[in-house]
PDB file of all heavy atoms in Angstrom:
ATOM      1  N   ILE A 496      81.065  41.152   0.805  1.00  0.00           N
ATOM      2  CA  ILE A 496      82.271  41.925   0.545  1.00  0.00           C
ATOM      3  C   ILE A 496      83.266  41.826   1.702  1.00  0.00           C
ATOM      4  O   ILE A 496      84.471  42.004   1.511  1.00  0.00           O
ATOM      5  CB  ILE A 496      81.894  43.400   0.259  1.00  0.00           C
ATOM      6  CG1 ILE A 496      82.912  44.038  -0.679  1.00  0.00           C
ATOM      7  CG2 ILE A 496      81.751  44.206   1.521  1.00  0.00           C
ATOM      8  CD1 ILE A 496      82.482  45.401  -1.186  1.00  0.00           C
ATOM      9  N   GLU A 497      82.751  41.516   2.919  1.00  0.00           N
ATOM     10  CA  GLU A 497      83.654  41.540   4.074  1.00  0.00           C
ATOM     11  C   GLU A 497      84.732  40.471   4.008  1.00  0.00           C
ATOM     12  O   GLU A 497      85.827  40.647   4.533  1.00  0.00           O
ATOM     13  CB  GLU A 497      82.880  41.416   5.390  1.00  0.00           C
ATOM     14  CG  GLU A 497      82.052  40.172   5.539  1.00  0.00           C
ATOM     15  CD  GLU A 497      80.614  40.424   5.133  1.00  0.00           C
ATOM     16  OE1 GLU A 497      80.360  41.424   4.434  1.00  0.00           O
ATOM     17  OE2 GLU A 497      79.749  39.615   5.493  1.00  0.00           O
ATOM     18  N   HIS A 498      84.444  39.341   3.336  1.00  0.00           N
ATOM     19  CA  HIS A 498      85.459  38.302   3.261  1.00  0.00           C
ATOM     20  C   HIS A 498      86.656  38.770   2.440  1.00  0.00           C
ATOM     21  O   HIS A 498      87.788  38.368   2.691  1.00  0.00           O
ATOM     22  CB  HIS A 498      84.863  37.020   2.676  1.00  0.00           C
ATOM     23  CG  HIS A 498      84.014  36.266   3.651  1.00  0.00           C
ATOM     24  ND1 HIS A 498      84.529  35.429   4.597  1.00  0.00           N
ATOM     25  CD2 HIS A 498      82.670  36.257   3.846  1.00  0.00           C
ATOM     26  CE1 HIS A 498      83.552  34.914   5.321  1.00  0.00           C
ATOM     27  NE2 HIS A 498      82.407  35.408   4.881  1.00  0.00           N
ATOM     28  N   MET A 499      86.417  39.605   1.437  1.00  0.00           N
ATOM     29  CA  MET A 499      87.525  40.155   0.646  1.00  0.00           C
ATOM     30  C   MET A 499      88.362  41.107   1.490  1.00  0.00           C
ATOM     31  O   MET A 499      89.592  41.154   1.374  1.00  0.00           O
ATOM     32  CB  MET A 499      86.973  40.898  -0.570  1.00  0.00           C
ATOM     33  CG  MET A 499      86.084  40.058  -1.452  1.00  0.00           C
ATOM     34  SD  MET A 499      85.246  41.069  -2.688  1.00  0.00           S
ATOM     35  CE  MET A 499      83.844  40.014  -3.061  1.00  0.00           C
ATOM     36  N   ILE A 500      87.702  41.864   2.359  1.00  0.00           N
ATOM     37  CA  ILE A 500      88.410  42.840   3.185  1.00  0.00           C
ATOM     38  C   ILE A 500      89.118  42.154   4.347  1.00  0.00           C
ATOM     39  O   ILE A 500      90.284  42.435   4.641  1.00  0.00           O
ATOM     40  CB  ILE A 500      87.415  43.904   3.683  1.00  0.00           C
ATOM     41  CG1 ILE A 500      86.863  44.696   2.485  1.00  0.00           C
ATOM     42  CG2 ILE A 500      88.066  44.839   4.687  1.00  0.00           C
ATOM     43  CD1 ILE A 500      85.744  45.638   2.816  1.00  0.00           C
ATOM     44  N   LEU A 501      88.424  41.226   5.015  1.00  0.00           N
ATOM     45  CA  LEU A 501      89.028  40.539   6.150  1.00  0.00           C
ATOM     46  C   LEU A 501      90.227  39.688   5.735  1.00  0.00           C
ATOM     47  O   LEU A 501      91.144  39.462   6.533  1.00  0.00           O
ATOM     48  CB  LEU A 501      87.986  39.660   6.843  1.00  0.00           C
ATOM     49  CG  LEU A 501      86.814  40.400   7.513  1.00  0.00           C
ATOM     50  CD1 LEU A 501      85.786  39.406   8.023  1.00  0.00           C
ATOM     51  CD2 LEU A 501      87.309  41.266   8.651  1.00  0.00           C
ATOM     52  N   SER A 502      90.238  39.222   4.479  1.00  0.00           N
ATOM     53  CA  SER A 502      91.358  38.385   4.022  1.00  0.00           C
ATOM     54  C   SER A 502      92.666  39.167   3.915  1.00  0.00           C
ATOM     55  O   SER A 502      93.721  38.568   3.765  1.00  0.00           O
ATOM     56  CB  SER A 502      91.021  37.748   2.669  1.00  0.00           C
ATOM     57  OG  SER A 502      90.888  38.737   1.674  1.00  0.00           O
ATOM     58  N   THR A 503      92.596  40.505   3.991  1.00  0.00           N
ATOM     59  CA  THR A 503      93.829  41.310   3.971  1.00  0.00           C
ATOM     60  C   THR A 503      94.539  41.279   5.314  1.00  0.00           C
ATOM     61  O   THR A 503      95.670  41.752   5.432  1.00  0.00           O
ATOM     62  CB  THR A 503      93.520  42.773   3.622  1.00  0.00           C
ATOM     63  OG1 THR A 503      92.765  43.377   4.678  1.00  0.00           O
ATOM     64  CG2 THR A 503      92.747  42.875   2.313  1.00  0.00           C
ATOM     65  N   SER A 504      93.860  40.740   6.361  1.00  0.00           N
ATOM     66  CA  SER A 504      94.386  40.665   7.730  1.00  0.00           C
ATOM     67  C   SER A 504      94.503  42.036   8.388  1.00  0.00           C
ATOM     68  O   SER A 504      95.156  42.178   9.422  1.00  0.00           O
ATOM     69  CB  SER A 504      95.757  39.956   7.769  1.00  0.00           C
ATOM     70  OG  SER A 504      95.654  38.659   7.241  1.00  0.00           O
ATOM     71  N   LYS A 505      93.877  43.044   7.784  1.00  0.00           N
ATOM     72  CA  LYS A 505      93.925  44.392   8.344  1.00  0.00           C
ATOM     73  C   LYS A 505      92.525  44.996   8.325  1.00  0.00           C
ATOM     74  O   LYS A 505      91.722  44.696   7.441  1.00  0.00           O
ATOM     75  CB  LYS A 505      94.876  45.282   7.535  1.00  0.00           C
ATOM     76  CG  LYS A 505      96.321  44.794   7.524  1.00  0.00           C
ATOM     77  CD  LYS A 505      97.221  45.727   6.703  1.00  0.00           C
ATOM     78  CE  LYS A 505      98.660  45.216   6.713  1.00  0.00           C
ATOM     79  NZ  LYS A 505      99.580  46.127   5.983  1.00  0.00           N
ATOM     80  N   THR A 506      92.265  45.847   9.311  1.00  0.00           N
ATOM     81  CA  THR A 506      91.007  46.585   9.263  1.00  0.00           C
ATOM     82  C   THR A 506      91.045  47.524   8.061  1.00  0.00           C
ATOM     83  O   THR A 506      92.126  47.870   7.567  1.00  0.00           O
ATOM     84  CB  THR A 506      90.803  47.412  10.539  1.00  0.00           C
ATOM     85  OG1 THR A 506      91.844  48.393  10.633  1.00  0.00           O
ATOM     86  CG2 THR A 506      90.812  46.526  11.773  1.00  0.00           C
ATOM     87  N   PRO A 507      89.877  47.946   7.568  1.00  0.00           N
ATOM     88  CA  PRO A 507      89.882  48.854   6.414  1.00  0.00           C
ATOM     89  C   PRO A 507      90.739  50.096   6.640  1.00  0.00           C
ATOM     90  O   PRO A 507      91.506  50.502   5.765  1.00  0.00           O
ATOM     91  CB  PRO A 507      88.400  49.208   6.257  1.00  0.00           C
ATOM     92  CG  PRO A 507      87.673  48.045   6.809  1.00  0.00           C
ATOM     93  CD  PRO A 507      88.495  47.564   7.949  1.00  0.00           C
ATOM     94  N   GLU A 508      90.605  50.689   7.819  1.00  0.00           N
ATOM     95  CA  GLU A 508      91.361  51.906   8.096  1.00  0.00           C
ATOM     96  C   GLU A 508      92.866  51.649   8.113  1.00  0.00           C
ATOM     97  O   GLU A 508      93.653  52.440   7.583  1.00  0.00           O
ATOM     98  CB  GLU A 508      90.912  52.514   9.424  1.00  0.00           C
ATOM     99  CG  GLU A 508      89.502  53.091   9.412  1.00  0.00           C
ATOM    100  CD  GLU A 508      88.408  52.041   9.437  1.00  0.00           C
ATOM    101  OE1 GLU A 508      88.717  50.870   9.784  1.00  0.00           O
ATOM    102  OE2 GLU A 508      87.255  52.358   9.090  1.00  0.00           O
ATOM    103  N   ARG A 509      93.294  50.524   8.723  1.00  0.00           N
ATOM    104  CA  ARG A 509      94.732  50.214   8.769  1.00  0.00           C
ATOM    105  C   ARG A 509      95.257  49.889   7.370  1.00  0.00           C
ATOM    106  O   ARG A 509      96.372  50.269   7.010  1.00  0.00           O
ATOM    107  CB  ARG A 509      94.978  49.050   9.730  1.00  0.00           C
ATOM    108  CG  ARG A 509      96.442  48.605   9.829  1.00  0.00           C
ATOM    109  CD  ARG A 509      97.388  49.738  10.278  1.00  0.00           C
ATOM    110  NE  ARG A 509      96.994  50.325  11.534  1.00  0.00           N
ATOM    111  CZ  ARG A 509      97.303  49.821  12.741  1.00  0.00           C
ATOM    112  NH1 ARG A 509      98.019  48.702  12.827  1.00  0.00           N
ATOM    113  NH2 ARG A 509      96.919  50.436  13.831  1.00  0.00           N
ATOM    114  N   TYR A 510      94.443  49.195   6.570  1.00  0.00           N
ATOM    115  CA  TYR A 510      94.887  48.864   5.211  1.00  0.00           C
ATOM    116  C   TYR A 510      95.090  50.134   4.387  1.00  0.00           C
ATOM    117  O   TYR A 510      96.087  50.271   3.677  1.00  0.00           O
ATOM    118  CB  TYR A 510      93.862  47.961   4.520  1.00  0.00           C
ATOM    119  CG  TYR A 510      94.375  47.363   3.220  1.00  0.00           C
ATOM    120  CD1 TYR A 510      95.046  46.144   3.214  1.00  0.00           C
ATOM    121  CD2 TYR A 510      94.221  48.035   2.016  1.00  0.00           C
ATOM    122  CE1 TYR A 510      95.538  45.601   2.037  1.00  0.00           C
ATOM    123  CE2 TYR A 510      94.709  47.508   0.837  1.00  0.00           C
ATOM    124  CZ  TYR A 510      95.367  46.294   0.853  1.00  0.00           C
ATOM    125  OH  TYR A 510      95.864  45.773  -0.316  1.00  0.00           O
ATOM    126  N   VAL A 511      94.157  51.073   4.501  1.00  0.00           N
ATOM    127  CA  VAL A 511      94.290  52.339   3.769  1.00  0.00           C
ATOM    128  C   VAL A 511      95.498  53.108   4.275  1.00  0.00           C
ATOM    129  O   VAL A 511      96.251  53.708   3.494  1.00  0.00           O
ATOM    130  CB  VAL A 511      93.002  53.175   3.918  1.00  0.00           C
ATOM    131  CG1 VAL A 511      93.208  54.583   3.363  1.00  0.00           C
ATOM    132  CG2 VAL A 511      91.843  52.497   3.204  1.00  0.00           C
ATOM    133  N   GLU A 512      95.709  53.079   5.580  1.00  0.00           N
ATOM    134  CA  GLU A 512      96.855  53.781   6.174  1.00  0.00           C
ATOM    135  C   GLU A 512      98.175  53.212   5.656  1.00  0.00           C
ATOM    136  O   GLU A 512      99.115  53.959   5.357  1.00  0.00           O
ATOM    137  CB  GLU A 512      96.783  53.653   7.696  1.00  0.00           C
ATOM    138  CG  GLU A 512      97.930  54.322   8.449  1.00  0.00           C
ATOM    139  CD  GLU A 512      97.836  54.090   9.948  1.00  0.00           C
ATOM    140  OE1 GLU A 512      96.696  53.921  10.452  1.00  0.00           O
ATOM    141  OE2 GLU A 512      98.882  54.063  10.607  1.00  0.00           O
ATOM    142  N   ASP A 513      98.247  51.883   5.507  1.00  0.00           N
ATOM    143  CA  ASP A 513      99.500  51.240   5.089  1.00  0.00           C
ATOM    144  C   ASP A 513      99.703  51.242   3.574  1.00  0.00           C
ATOM    145  O   ASP A 513     100.840  51.324   3.100  1.00  0.00           O
ATOM    146  CB  ASP A 513      99.526  49.789   5.584  1.00  0.00           C
ATOM    147  CG  ASP A 513      99.657  49.703   7.093  1.00  0.00           C
ATOM    148  OD1 ASP A 513      99.946  50.732   7.726  1.00  0.00           O
ATOM    149  OD2 ASP A 513      99.429  48.604   7.642  1.00  0.00           O
ATOM    150  N   HIS A 514      98.610  51.115   2.807  1.00  0.00           N
ATOM    151  CA  HIS A 514      98.750  50.894   1.365  1.00  0.00           C
ATOM    152  C   HIS A 514      98.082  51.960   0.498  1.00  0.00           C
ATOM    153  O   HIS A 514      98.301  51.979  -0.717  1.00  0.00           O
ATOM    154  CB  HIS A 514      98.167  49.525   0.993  1.00  0.00           C
ATOM    155  CG  HIS A 514      98.752  48.388   1.779  1.00  0.00           C
ATOM    156  ND1 HIS A 514     100.001  47.872   1.528  1.00  0.00           N
ATOM    157  CD2 HIS A 514      98.251  47.687   2.831  1.00  0.00           C
ATOM    158  CE1 HIS A 514     100.241  46.879   2.388  1.00  0.00           C
ATOM    159  NE2 HIS A 514      99.199  46.758   3.187  1.00  0.00           N
ATOM    160  N   GLY A 515      97.231  52.778   1.074  1.00  0.00           N
ATOM    161  CA  GLY A 515      96.568  53.815   0.308  1.00  0.00           C
ATOM    162  C   GLY A 515      95.171  53.420  -0.138  1.00  0.00           C
ATOM    163  O   GLY A 515      94.811  52.237  -0.188  1.00  0.00           O
ATOM    164  N   GLU A 516      94.372  54.441  -0.471  1.00  0.00           N
ATOM    165  CA  GLU A 516      92.989  54.210  -0.873  1.00  0.00           C
ATOM    166  C   GLU A 516      92.896  53.395  -2.156  1.00  0.00           C
ATOM    167  O   GLU A 516      92.037  52.533  -2.311  1.00  0.00           O
ATOM    168  CB  GLU A 516      92.274  55.555  -1.062  1.00  0.00           C
ATOM    169  CG  GLU A 516      92.070  56.330   0.233  1.00  0.00           C
ATOM    170  CD  GLU A 516      91.267  57.599   0.017  1.00  0.00           C
ATOM    171  OE1 GLU A 516      91.022  57.949  -1.162  1.00  0.00           O
ATOM    172  OE2 GLU A 516      90.874  58.232   1.014  1.00  0.00           O
TER     173      GLU A 516
END
Side-chain angles (χ1 to χ4, degrees):
I496 210 170
E497 59 264 18
H498 284 278
M499 304 170 203
I500 295 172
L501 295 174
S502 65
T503 67
S504 302
K505 299 180 180 183
T506 63
E508 291 75 17
R509 178 58 56 83
Y510 191 90
V511 171
E512 179 183 331
D513 291 348
H514 305 284
E516 292 184 351

